[in-house]
Amino acid sequence: MIHFRTAALGIILLSACDPITADDGLTGPGMIRLTTERPEGAAPDTCWGKRTSPAIIETVEREVLLKPAQTSSDGRIQQPAVYQRESVQEIVKEREDTWFQVPCGVEFTPEFVSSLQRALAARGIYRGPVTGEMSMRTRAAVRRLQATEGFDSDILTVETARTLGLIAVERQPE
């Protein structure tokens, strides 16, 4: 039974860098997913997720000049200008991709997930058993924690893992 759980966990977690393998069920506009794509300049051995915010489009009413006014030689208007109303859609804000780094699947060992569960429990966010499995309860706790930082997703980011003390913060050269 333990081998089955470990194998199942490995399959789920190792798929973390497959294209479009995880949609976190975000409700509302936008989509968050894991991907094999990387932002420009990212190290080749890193894994990433991408949040895509939809474009914002508005319908605008405007008047279009069909025929200019005709005037006489003394400047009097002989025929008024002719306008037509038209509705057009304009992009107010372009679609936007926001990249976020995630721990790669191989980092999601049962020991790592157990540490994650303990760290979430220590903060009063997770109330389940420490199983080493990335359960729905664990993912919900990750979402609650990240939502307080403005990132509403149950996909654990490297930034959150560092905040929890689960991933070492790399030293900057002096």
Side-chain angles (χ1 to χ4, degrees):
M1 176 107 177
I2 291 180
H3 295 294
F4 173 73
R5 276 195 238 169
T6 304
L9 178 64
I11 290 168
I12 292 168
L13 297 175
L14 289 175
S15 67
C17 290
D18 288 345
I20 314 176
T21 57
D23 179 357
D24 75 340
L26 178 71
T27 56
M31 179 178 72
I32 298 178
R33 63 187 170 99
L34 297 174
T35 178
T36 56
E37 298 174 74
R38 290 178 182 80
E40 191 173 313
D45 60 340
T46 57
C47 295
W48 293 84
K50 182 167 49 171
R51 169 186 247 158
T52 302
S53 300
I56 298 174
I57 301 172
E58 287 184 357
T59 301
V60 178
E61 294 278 332
R62 57 180 156 190
E63 290 188 352
V64 177
L65 178 65
L66 293 179
K67 191 175 184 183
Q70 292 181 356
T71 57
S72 61
S73 58
D74 62 353
R76 283 193 245 160
I77 296 177
Q78 291 179 327
Q79 284 188 333
V82 178
Y83 292 90
Q84 177 180 342
R85 278 191 176 267
E86 69 177 14
S87 297
V88 293
Q89 292 187 333
E90 294 181 351
I91 296 175
V92 176
K93 183 180 176 192
E94 293 288 333
R95 183 177 79 183
E96 185 176 53
D97 289 333
T98 304
W99 291 94
F100 57 95
Q101 190 174 1
V102 298
C104 291
V106 295
E107 295 171 323
F108 272 95
T109 63
E111 293 79 19
F112 178 86
V113 176
S114 293
S115 295
L116 171 63
Q117 291 168 330
R118 284 190 293 273
L120 293 167
R123 288 161 178 79
I125 299 168
Y126 176 73
R127 292 179 182 80
V130 175
T131 62
E133 295 177 17
M134 195 67 174
S135 63
M136 294 302 288
R137 189 181 275 181
T138 306
R139 292 173 67 92
V142 168
R143 179 185 289 270
R144 282 191 297 277
L145 176 63
Q146 293 182 148
T148 62
E149 300 298 319
F151 187 70
D152 187 15
S153 173
D154 63 355
I155 300 173
L156 180 69
T157 66
V158 166
E159 182 179 333
T160 300
R162 283 188 177 133
T163 300
L164 294 171
L166 302 174
I167 295 178
V169 178
E170 296 171 13
R171 293 180 77 174
Q172 298 298 321
E174 293 180 28

